[in-house]
Amino acid sequence: MPKIYKFAFLFLLLSITPVSAEIIWGPTIERSGGEYIFETGNKYPNLSGIRGGSRISFPRTFSLLGIQGIITKERWEVSGSFKTTGWSQKSGEARDEDFFLGSISTENTTNIATREWSYRDSATVYAGSRNFADGKGKSTVSENRAEFYGRYYFQSANPNYWADGSGFFLSAGVRYSYFKYLFYDVNQFIESNPVFYGPIGIGLSFSNDLWEFFAGGGYRYSAGNFYLDLSLMPSFGRIKTRDFHVQRSINFFSENYGLGWASKAEVGYKMGPSWLSYLRINHRRFFSEGRFTSQGGLTSEDIASNLVSGFKSHINIKDYSIEIGLLNKLDWNQKSENSEK
């Protein structure tokens, strides 16, 4: 059974199992946007004397449907969700660039510098380059995602959404996502003699296996029919990818590690004693570095690259989403009374 479906099975098991704690569940729909960028390169000449690199850019534009469950007891809260695109969705224009780097080019490899306490929000690494090959085309994306989080509340804050109170909370969690891009209907430019520009069909497929671990906190305020929930959680993650270039018949396998953060702002309305609705805005950043290896290829250069131990790689993700959902508080006492009758 694939990892993502194991998570979904565990989540559903938690959602339908009656326990002494309070259980809340409901559907959710999410619309995402942003960018995903894979880059590699060298500002200084390699063994072949070339200074250059490549960049693959995909938009993070798609919709997710999901289900979520929350278990609360006293000051503790454990939540989980499973979300999926359900099918491959059109995500917008993607791009595959190959470029030269010069003496004035810049290479900004560190986005989150813990030693210097600095932060750079750009998803790109190399600047001041000149493309010698450039492909633009359409893209589709499919994604499955499972998340689990735990919280502990302080002051008068309460994990019960229907209770009044305010205060801070600590939070930690894990997210697993598998997503795959397809780059097609590509028109490519190549600076050759003569110059080539024309359609090449399918460019590549790019599959991703991403784990992220979060720890942070936030603040909840609840009064009357409304509540406000704010959180910020730094993260550490690992991503493995498979990049298959169809025209060259070559695979690139990468493994990267990096830092990031996720934030959330949520406003909810209590529609009754057991139902509420919410609007949530999510932001996520993930910046990673690692290495990739090649396998296969048609040209002598591609085949020779199979013998190299690895090449530098950067995978950076910046995305945001708007999410709406419903939550229902289950009344196990009423269910048990009905079953006794």
Side-chain angles (χ1 to χ4, degrees), residues 10 20 30 42 52 55 58 69 89 96-97 106 117 194 198-199 245 251 270 281 315 331 335:
L10 177 61
S20 59
E30 184 174 345
N42 51 283
R55 179 187 300 115
F58 288 106
Q89 300 182 19
D96 183 4
E97 306 167 76
T106 59
W117 289 93
H245 285 246
N251 282 289
K270 308 164 192 177
I281 299 176
I315 298 175
D331 189 346
K335 289 188 176 182

Side-chain angles (χ1 to χ4, degrees), residues 274-288:
S274 59
W275 284 95
L276 63 82
S277 61
Y278 67 83
L279 171 67
R280 181 183 297 164
I281 299 176
N282 303 295
H283 282 82
R284 192 263 298 264
R285 302 288 187 267
F286 177 66
F287 306 105
S288 69

Side-chain angles (χ1 to χ4, degrees), residues 47-329:
L47 295 177
S48 62
I50 296 176
R51 296 189 297 182
S54 63
R55 179 187 300 115
I56 302 173
S57 308
F58 288 106
R60 295 279 296 164
T61 307
F62 52 88
S63 299
L64 292 160
L65 296 173
I67 185 172
Q68 59 183 321
I70 303 170
I71 300 175
T72 65
K73 189 172 184 179
E74 297 175 350
R75 290 185 174 273
W76 291 95
E77 174 186 308
V78 177
S79 63
S81 67
F82 174 72
K83 300 176 183 178
T84 178
T85 57
W87 55 85
S88 293
Q89 300 182 19
K90 293 182 179 179
S91 55
E93 184 182 77
R95 192 173 183 182
D96 183 4
E97 306 167 76
D98 295 299
F99 49 80
F100 292 119
L101 294 171
S103 58
I104 62 171
S105 303
T106 59
E107 180 179 2
N108 299 306
T109 60
T110 302
N111 288 79
I112 300 177
T114 56
R115 183 176 299 177
E116 294 82 8
W117 289 93
S118 65
Y119 173 71
R120 190 179 67 88
D121 199 46
S122 173
T124 59
V125 173
Y126 301 98
S129 59
R130 182 177 69 82
N131 288 357
F132 63 86
D134 196 348
K136 294 182 180 180
K138 302 175 183 177
S139 68
T140 62
V141 62
S142 61
E143 179 163 337
N144 295 310
R145 183 191 306 166
E147 301 173 286
F148 291 92
Y149 297 96
R151 286 184 176 185
Y152 184 81
Y153 290 84
F154 298 92
Q155 299 162 304
S156 63
N158 198 312
N160 182 356
Y161 285 79
W162 286 265
D164 290 349
S166 62
F168 293 94
F169 59 82
L170 294 177
S171 180
V174 58
R175 172 193 290 163
Y176 172 77
S177 57
Y178 175 84
F179 53 103
K180 183 176 182 178
Y181 285 101
L182 180 65
F183 185 38
Y184 67 101
D185 282 358
V186 180
N187 282 292
Q188 187 172 45
F189 158 81
I190 301 177
E191 190 182 86
S192 54
N193 191 15
V195 170
F196 171 82
Y197 178 76
I200 62 170
I202 297 177
L204 57 91
S205 64
F206 208 115
S207 56
N208 301 261
D209 186 279
L210 174 58
W211 283 92
E212 295 171 276
F213 301 89
F214 300 89
Y219 183 82
R220 174 177 288 181
Y221 174 82
S222 180
N225 292 330
F226 293 91
Y227 73 87
L228 173 67
D229 195 285
L230 305 171
S231 68
L232 175 65
M233 293 191 291
S235 68
F236 170 78
R238 184 229 66 187
I239 184 169
K240 288 186 175 182
T241 71
R242 175 181 179 265
D243 174 16
F244 176 60
H245 285 246
V246 175
Q247 307 299 327
R248 298 165 60 187
S249 189
I250 187 171
N251 282 289
F252 298 102
F253 298 96
S254 68
E255 182 171 2
N256 284 31
Y257 294 85
L259 301 173
W261 56 269
S263 64
K264 180 190 72 174
E266 177 180 326
V267 177
Y269 175 71
K270 308 164 192 177
M271 299 182 293
S274 59
W275 284 95
L276 63 82
S277 61
Y278 67 83
L279 171 67
R280 181 183 297 164
I281 299 176
N282 303 295
H283 282 82
R284 192 263 298 264
R285 302 288 187 267
F286 177 66
F287 306 105
S288 69
E289 298 181 23
R291 298 185 70 79
F292 73 91
T293 57
S294 61
Q295 186 179 96
L298 300 176
T299 66
S300 58
E301 290 83 359
D302 285 343
I303 296 173
S305 70
N306 296 181
L307 305 176
V308 180
S309 60
F311 303 89
K312 181 168 53 176
S313 65
H314 306 273
I315 298 175
N316 297 333
I317 302 173
K318 290 177 58 179
D319 62 14
Y320 61 90
S321 66
I322 299 176
E323 181 180 351
I324 57 174
L326 293 172
L327 288 174
N328 171 242
K329 179 168 57 177

